[in-house]
Amino acid sequence: LAGSVPEEERCTVERVDASLTYSLFLQRFAFSRPVILGGVTDNSAFRALCTREKLLAAFGPLPVRLSTANTYSYRKVDVPFQEYVERLLQPQDPARLGSDTLYFFGDNNFTEWGPLFQHYVPPPFCIPGTSPAYSFGIAGGHGGESGGRDRGGSPASTPRSTAGSGSGVPFHWHGPGFSEVIFGRKRWFLYPPDKTPHFHPNETTLAWLQHTYPTLPLAQRPLECTLRPGEVLYFPDRWWHATLNLDTSVFISTFLG
């Protein structure tokens, strides 16, 4: 396994704070470009329910649906949540194909996971004519007790992972939405709808970062940034995006459909 994956050299996604008004959000970002929102939600209560111990106690024996980490596949695998955390939640092998890489994200049973989502505070903005849908996930990163420290300064207690490199979702697009990191760090790569990224659909984000990214001229590189706990990324409709978990990460997305 490769060593730890670095953060980007320079964040090229604009960051704003809680002073951003809804009208400015609609005017500057909603339909045109991504933005990282800081301090717009307080999910300390939700975060406290998302530690390894709490999640295993609440959902350990329940089945979760895993997806393959490639762009155009819909293969799903059902395993008990405890098996995913203890056996499959591990660093990404750089040589492993996306179709052979399983991760837990999005296919949540809302009868079982609904009580947890009731504690989540979503971002305060919306897109007119849409309704939100939550998607919760946990993925392996480069190792250790991940997540560093949350905004309150207390050590994050998340699922453990051995040394290695990050898992992630390769380039794809869909409707607009928000993504918030609860534990860990998640690196994002984004292209506008009219700039299709060069990638192989069965290649993991890690393989793309190691092989394709270094060959890109600066003008062809994506917008990129690393999201930390308490930060929310907004991505507009049909923007291409790929993610890479730098730590074992807990995250939740709000899709606007």
Side-chain angles (χ1 to χ4, degrees):
L1 293 176
S4 62
V5 181
E7 294 188 11
E8 77 293 330
E9 292 182 9
R10 183 172 67 91
C11 176
T12 51
V13 179
E14 186 174 350
R15 274 188 163 94
V16 299
D17 60 25
S19 65
L20 180 72
T21 63
Y22 180 46
S23 60
L24 275 178
F25 168 75
L26 289 177
Q27 178 185 328
R28 295 177 56 192
F29 304 109
F31 306 102
S32 57
R33 56 194 167 120
V35 62
I36 295 174
L37 309 170
V40 298
T41 61
D42 178 4
N43 274 303
S44 51
F46 182 74
R47 187 178 297 117
L49 298 173
C50 291
T51 63
R52 175 191 176 102
E53 294 74 20
K54 290 282 181 64
L55 289 176
L56 283 175
F59 305 104
L62 299 178
V64 292
R65 177 153 291 181
L66 309 181
S67 308
T68 49
N70 53 346
T71 297
Y72 301 116
S73 168
Y74 296 95
R75 185 168 75 92
K76 307 289 185 180
V77 176
D78 293 340
V79 302
F81 178 66
Q82 184 164 351
E83 180 181 347
Y84 174 68
V85 170
E86 295 179 350
R87 188 172 70 84
L88 297 175
L89 187 64
Q90 57 188 351
Q92 177 68 52
D93 183 340
R96 196 174 178 90
L97 294 177
S99 56
D100 297 324
T101 303
L102 295 168
Y103 69 99
F104 172 47
F105 174 59
D107 287 292
N108 306 125
N109 182 321
F110 280 81
T111 302
E112 297 168 345
W113 291 82
L116 175 66
F117 299 155
Q118 289 177 6
H119 295 274
Y120 178 65
V121 179
F125 305 134
C126 64
I127 305 296
T130 67
S131 56
Y134 294 148
S135 200
F136 180 72
I138 302 172
H142 74 63
E145 190 72 36
S146 70
R149 295 177 178 270
D150 63 26
R151 284 186 301 170
S154 58
S157 174
T158 58
R160 290 181 183 274
S161 153
T162 55
S165 297
S167 61
V169 182
F171 280 107
H172 64 289
W173 60 265
H174 42 66
F178 299 93
S179 185
E180 179 170 354
V181 171
I182 305 302
F183 284 117
R185 293 170 301 152
K186 182 183 286 287
R187 187 170 170 182
W188 283 75
F189 308 91
L190 304 109
Y191 283 101
D194 61 347
K195 284 191 176 181
T196 302
H198 177 69
F199 71 100
H200 188 285
N202 202 24
E203 182 180 52
T204 62
T205 305
L206 180 62
W208 174 86
L209 180 66
Q210 292 179 338
H211 302 137
T212 302
Y213 180 91
T215 70
L216 297 175
L218 285 178
Q220 295 180 24
R221 292 202 170 176
L223 291 180
E224 55 182 310
C225 209
T226 298
L227 212 62
R228 296 176 178 81
E231 293 184 319
V232 179
L233 174 75
Y234 170 76
F235 49 86
D237 187 31
R238 295 176 181 263
W239 270 66
W240 288 94
H241 53 280
T243 61
L244 191 69
N245 296 291
L246 303 186
D247 308 300
T248 301
S249 300
V250 178
F251 46 92
I252 187 166
S253 293
T254 306
F255 293 115
L256 304 173

